[in-house]
Amino acid sequence: MVQKYQSPVRVYKHPFELVMAAYERRFPTCHLIPMFVASDVVDEETSEDGSTQRVERRCALDVDAPRLLKRIAGVDYVYFIQKNTLNRKERTLHIESHNETFSNRVIIHETCCYSVHPENEDWTCFEQTASLDIKSFFGFESTVEKIAMKQYASSIKKGKEIIEFYLKELEDEGMTHVPRWTPSSLPLPLPRPTSLSTSPPLVPKLTVTPAVSIPLLDADYIKRYLGDLTPLQESCLIRLRKWLQETHKGKIPKDEHILRFLRARDFNMDKAREILCQSLTWRKQHQVDYLLETWSSPQVLQDYYTGGWHHHDRDGRPLYILRLGQMDTKGLVRALGEESLLRHVLSINEEGLRRCEENTKVFGRPISCWTCLVDLEGLNMRHLWRPGVKALLRIIEVVEANYPETLGRLLILRAPRVFPVLWTLVSPFIDENTRKKFLIYAGNDYQGPGGLVDYIDKEIIPDFLGGECMCEVPEGGLVPKSMYRTAEELENEDVRLWTETIYQSASVFKGAPHEVLIEIIDASSVITWDFDMCKGDVVFNIYHSKRAPQPPRKDAMGAHGITSPGGNNVQLIDKSWTLGQDYSMVESPLTCKEGESVQGSHITRWPGFYILQWKFHNMPACSATNLPRVDDVLATLQVSSHKCKVMYYTEVLGSEDFRLVWLSVYAAKRCSFASVLAYGFC
């Protein structure tokens, strides 16, 4: 498996030329990097005007590895080839290096880049990426990989410290300015290599990409708003963020949100990406991003839901108090239904995320989660009513899947004897990492040493817990039975709440595409679309026909005449139709991969019938002269083993609406997402 590393942007608040002067001082030797033994210039080339200089070096490193491993390998030093390109005119230094020693067993590649800060020409940015691929190493592949990654991670931040050290040295000598290169300038010596001095051997080497196309994060921003991350954790965050931007067309969640999913999976990028994509699809389908703006709690919740926000804990985390023992769970479920309660809890979580962002700014340190205090006084067997427990389990399941690592601590106070029964029911549905954050106090144990005052300032302990602070959390009570609703009314309400979405889902099978028919009366109308590939790969097409396709016929048994393997799969184009004769293609086919989010629009040229089609993507057949690759065969088997699933939304705008929305898109507080996409302002 190839190990990869992507750095955040390291910013030196010094001009490029001064940073290059500091960088040059690291060679030929550097007491801060004892492993760098020597380097020899292999090739050197300078342009006629002196603006560009290229140097190739062979560098030796004394690897910090077990003596036994060195003896088995038969080497004392590891040699790297390093190619540096300094462009004084463009003010960039690119450094690319790869290992020469054991190149048939281990492939190490690193690229570094010094460049001018895009927003301040007197600052300098440093970026790096790396990859490490160990194919074989005398049976010590795992050991070598661990040594390499450990040494590399420990040396990444050291590289910045070295530059800062020499910048300070230059300042002490009175050198605070180096003039920029001009065509009349004399060539300056090329700064010596950086990668081998900052990076241990047998470690990934960087791949630089222009800052314009890759959304790299500033290291100072990460520390200020996200916390102290290890270099490899930073790399996971940046790589996942980059992948999301490429597949979700710029509509990526906030960095704090991405980081929570990475932490929930111990920074396993593949696992984090899977659950994050599922959650993003869920958020879009149910419009969760707009929940705080659109959800208004029913009066019964405002009166009888015994929970609310209350200041913050000692760590600055928002504090939510829930008096569960005083809550009439049966009454709330009978009066509102399961989905209304779930939506209310989701709004609480969304509000918690917003408060975390606010507290991060207020306290000047990263605050990514909140504290929940649950008071169980009054909890008894009536709280174990089966429909109520079922609703609770459903809420836990949804919150665990979509709000990982948002709970910093859960304080459970005054747990009665019946609590172990409730805990036995709900604990299997709670993630192990979350359970570790639970602190449970029975009776009045929370009032002693190691109790509530260790986590919450005495001044804000609620009055009902023996404190002096007035708490505005409702006291609850029994919901009047006159507010209860029938089972049919509750079922209809639940259906209404979770079908209030502009998105639809459909299945796509091999030989059975899903198609949507849109009738256009006026030419120059705009068809917009927004869809997510939840599962599998498809090809997206748009067709036009002057005549309407016949709707799916039903036989005597009520089944559609056009066979479809799934109930949410619709096929409109008759097999007897001929492309180019009965209908025509108006957009080039677009291949969409699993996990991608696709948005676009089409301005119609003719009236008639337009068909949006999602078609199963078949892997290209291998030619007879070329043997198929194993990866291709496995991918084909995997794709064809299950159906594809797409979640989509389409909208049609008339020409008049097009002009009106175009003129008011900036002024409108909210307009449909797909409409805005049509005008390119997203």
Side-chain angles (χ1 to χ4, degrees):
M1 180 178 177
V2 179
Q3 292 285 348
K4 295 183 179 181
Y5 171 78
Q6 170 75 63
S7 78
V9 178
R10 310 287 179 187
V11 178
Y12 301 99
K13 296 183 179 180
H14 301 278
F16 175 80
E17 290 72 21
L18 190 62
V19 172
M20 291 296 98
Y23 171 71
E24 184 181 355
R25 291 207 168 195
R26 299 167 50 176
F27 305 95
T29 59
C30 176
H31 67 280
L32 299 174
I33 317 171
M35 70 161 53
F36 188 78
V37 179
S39 66
D40 298 319
V41 175
V42 177
D43 187 29
E44 186 172 2
E45 178 185 354
T46 305
S47 62
E48 292 184 2
D49 62 356
S51 63
T52 305
Q53 192 171 9
R54 298 180 180 87
V55 175
E56 181 177 335
R57 289 181 173 84
R58 187 171 185 263
C59 308
L61 294 178
D62 185 6
V63 182
D64 183 15
R67 184 175 300 177
L68 175 62
L69 189 59
K70 286 187 176 182
R71 292 185 61 183
I72 293 175
V75 296
D76 291 324
Y77 302 124
V78 174
Y79 290 91
F80 279 81
I81 299 298
Q82 187 178 68
K83 299 178 181 179
N84 291 3
T85 302
L86 174 65
N87 190 320
R88 300 186 179 94
K89 182 179 180 180
E90 300 295 334
R91 304 176 75 195
T92 60
L93 172 63
H94 290 275
I95 307 159
E96 185 174 351
S97 47
H98 64 273
N99 62 305
E100 181 184 64
T101 308
F102 303 121
S103 58
N104 61 330
R105 297 177 179 274
V106 180
I107 300 175
I108 303 171
H109 185 264
E110 178 185 55
T111 308
C112 308
C113 178
Y114 287 91
S115 61
V116 178
H117 195 286
E119 298 177 3
N120 190 329
E121 63 177 13
D122 291 329
W123 292 357
T124 304
C125 295
F126 174 71
E127 306 168 22
Q128 60 185 148
T129 59
S131 63
L132 167 67
D133 185 9
I134 301 178
K135 299 186 178 300
S136 65
F137 204 85
F138 313 106
F140 290 90
E141 292 80 13
S142 178
T143 302
V144 171
E145 180 178 313
K146 290 178 180 178
I147 292 174
M149 297 307 296
K150 181 179 179 180
Q151 291 185 0
Y152 193 70
S154 64
S155 69
I156 288 169
K157 291 186 177 180
K158 189 176 182 180
K160 182 178 181 180
E161 295 172 2
I162 293 171
I163 293 293
E164 297 285 1
F165 173 84
Y166 286 116
L167 284 169
K168 180 65 167 59
E169 188 174 83
L170 289 172
E171 182 182 351
D172 293 341
E173 296 174 4
M175 185 176 180
T176 59
H177 175 72
V178 176
R180 296 186 186 180
W181 179 89
T182 62
S184 60
S185 300
L186 293 175
L188 299 174
L190 177 69
R192 308 234 165 156
T194 179
S195 34
L196 292 177
S197 34
T198 59
S199 313
L202 298 180
V203 197
K205 299 266 166 178
L206 320 168
T207 321
V208 171
T209 328
V212 179
S213 59
I214 296 184
L216 294 177
L217 297 178
D218 188 321
D220 294 332
Y221 162 83
I222 291 178
K223 186 174 183 180
R224 168 66 178 81
Y225 292 99
L226 304 180
D228 289 321
L229 304 179
T230 68
L232 296 182
Q233 289 174 345
E234 289 177 340
S235 174
C236 288
L237 172 62
I238 294 165
R239 288 162 55 204
L240 182 53
R241 189 173 182 263
K242 174 187 172 184
W243 181 86
L244 286 168
Q245 189 191 42
E246 292 174 348
T247 58
H248 287 66
K249 314 304 179 189
K251 299 184 302 146
I252 60 175
K254 295 179 180 179
D255 301 319
E256 300 93 322
H257 196 69
I258 300 174
L259 188 57
R260 288 186 182 100
F261 282 85
L262 283 167
R263 283 175 170 151
R265 290 298 179 267
D266 297 322
F267 287 88
N268 183 311
M269 224 183 83
D270 292 335
K271 293 181 179 179
R273 178 169 54 196
E274 180 181 359
I275 62 173
L276 176 56
C277 287
Q278 291 172 358
S279 180
L280 291 177
T281 300
W282 171 82
R283 292 182 69 88
K284 176 184 284 189
Q285 184 174 11
H286 300 298
Q287 301 290 281
V288 179
D289 288 337
Y290 305 108
L291 194 59
L292 291 180
E293 303 170 22
T294 59
W295 170 249
S296 179
S297 299
Q299 189 62 44
V300 65
L301 274 175
Q302 298 177 33
D303 295 337
Y304 296 98
Y305 190 86
T306 55
W309 295 99
H310 181 76
H311 300 283
H312 55 79
D313 68 4
R314 287 184 178 272
D315 296 321
R317 297 166 174 167
L319 175 62
Y320 189 83
I321 294 180
L322 180 65
R323 303 184 68 179
L324 184 59
Q326 304 298 315
M327 187 183 296
D328 181 10
T329 53
K330 179 178 180 179
L332 289 175
V333 172
R334 293 289 299 273
L336 293 169
E338 182 178 314
E339 298 301 337
S340 288
L341 278 175
L342 174 58
R343 184 161 297 201
H344 183 66
V345 173
L346 295 182
S347 71
I348 293 171
N349 280 270
E350 291 296 307
E351 174 67 16
L353 295 177
R354 187 185 66 79
R355 287 174 178 260
C356 285
E357 291 183 19
E358 291 179 352
N359 284 19
T360 295
K361 298 174 183 177
V362 171
F363 292 98
R365 61 178 183 274
I367 295 174
S368 60
C369 51
W370 59 81
T371 293
C372 184
L373 187 156
V374 181
D375 179 22
L376 296 183
E377 185 184 44
L379 187 77
N380 54 45
M381 292 302 295
R382 66 183 173 86
H383 290 90
L384 302 182
W385 179 59
R386 180 174 293 182
V389 173
K390 175 177 173 290
L392 176 61
L393 296 180
R394 167 83 189 289
I395 290 171
I396 291 174
E397 181 182 21
V398 173
V399 171
E400 282 284 306
N402 298 286
Y403 298 92
E405 295 299 316
T406 53
L407 180 66
R409 184 179 296 117
L410 181 66
L411 302 169
I412 299 178
L413 275 54
R414 302 197 280 195
R417 292 183 179 181
V418 73
F419 173 72
V421 180
L422 179 62
W423 179 248
T424 302
L425 292 172
V426 303
S427 60
F429 294 85
I430 301 174
D431 183 77
E432 182 179 355
N433 290 333
T434 304
R435 291 201 300 267
K436 294 177 181 178
K437 302 171 184 178
F438 284 34
L439 296 173
I440 303 173
Y441 298 90
N444 294 322
D445 292 347
Y446 70 92
Q447 295 179 345
L452 200 55
V453 290
D454 286 2
Y455 306 102
I456 301 175
D457 288 333
K458 185 177 181 181
E459 294 77 15
I460 65 169
I461 294 179
D463 52 348
F464 60 84
L465 292 176
E468 300 178 356
C469 185
M470 296 298 295
C471 183
E472 297 181 358
V473 174
E475 295 183 0
L478 296 177
V479 177
K481 292 187 177 181
S482 60
M483 304 183 73
Y484 286 12
R485 303 165 78 176
T486 65
E488 183 178 356
E489 288 175 332
L490 291 176
E491 183 178 353
N492 291 337
E493 178 65 10
D494 288 348
V495 171
R496 183 189 69 80
L497 283 174
W498 287 115
T499 54
E500 282 184 347
T501 172
I502 59 177
Y503 291 88
Q504 301 182 55
S505 297
S507 298
V508 180
F509 302 86
K510 192 171 184 179
H514 177 71
E515 295 164 343
V516 174
L517 180 65
I518 298 175
E519 183 177 4
I520 298 296
I521 305 299
D522 300 322
S524 300
S525 296
V526 181
I527 301 174
T528 66
W529 57 85
D530 176 10
F531 64 87
D532 287 66
M533 289 309 307
C534 305
K535 191 175 184 181
D537 304 341
V538 302
V539 177
F540 178 63
N541 289 296
I542 305 178
Y543 299 106
H544 172 263
S545 174
K546 294 181 180 179
R547 59 192 178 100
Q550 293 298 318
R553 299 180 300 276
K554 292 186 178 181
D555 57 24
M557 300 298 293
H560 289 298
I562 301 179
T563 58
S564 171
N568 57 348
N569 175 275
V570 177
Q571 301 166 60
L572 299 169
I573 299 177
D574 194 281
K575 292 183 179 180
S576 63
W577 279 23
T578 303
L579 182 62
Q581 180 177 340
D582 300 290
Y583 65 110
S584 60
M585 184 180 294
V586 296
E587 289 277 356
S588 300
L590 178 65
T591 301
C592 309
K593 301 293 185 181
E594 181 174 322
E596 288 188 345
S597 179
V598 181
Q599 302 82 38
S601 61
H602 173 77
I603 301 177
T604 61
R605 296 178 59 187
W606 315 281
F609 300 90
Y610 287 81
I611 301 170
L612 308 187
Q613 181 194 74
W614 290 268
K615 186 178 181 180
F616 190 91
H617 176 52
N618 291 310
M619 298 294 291
C622 301
S623 64
T625 56
N626 295 327
L627 292 175
R629 296 189 302 117
V630 174
D631 291 345
D632 291 339
V633 174
L634 292 176
T636 304
L637 291 174
Q638 183 180 15
V639 170
S640 53
S641 64
H642 59 256
K643 65 183 178 183
C644 299
K645 192 171 183 180
V646 61
M647 185 181 73
Y648 67 92
Y649 167 67
T650 64
E651 183 178 358
V652 179
L653 297 173
S655 55
E656 290 298 322
D657 295 332
F658 181 93
R659 286 192 290 269
L660 289 173
V661 178
W662 192 89
L663 291 172
S664 61
V665 67
Y666 281 119
K669 180 179 180 181
R670 289 189 61 209
C671 58
S672 90
F673 177 71
S675 301
V676 179
L677 286 170
Y679 315 118
F681 287 107
C682 282

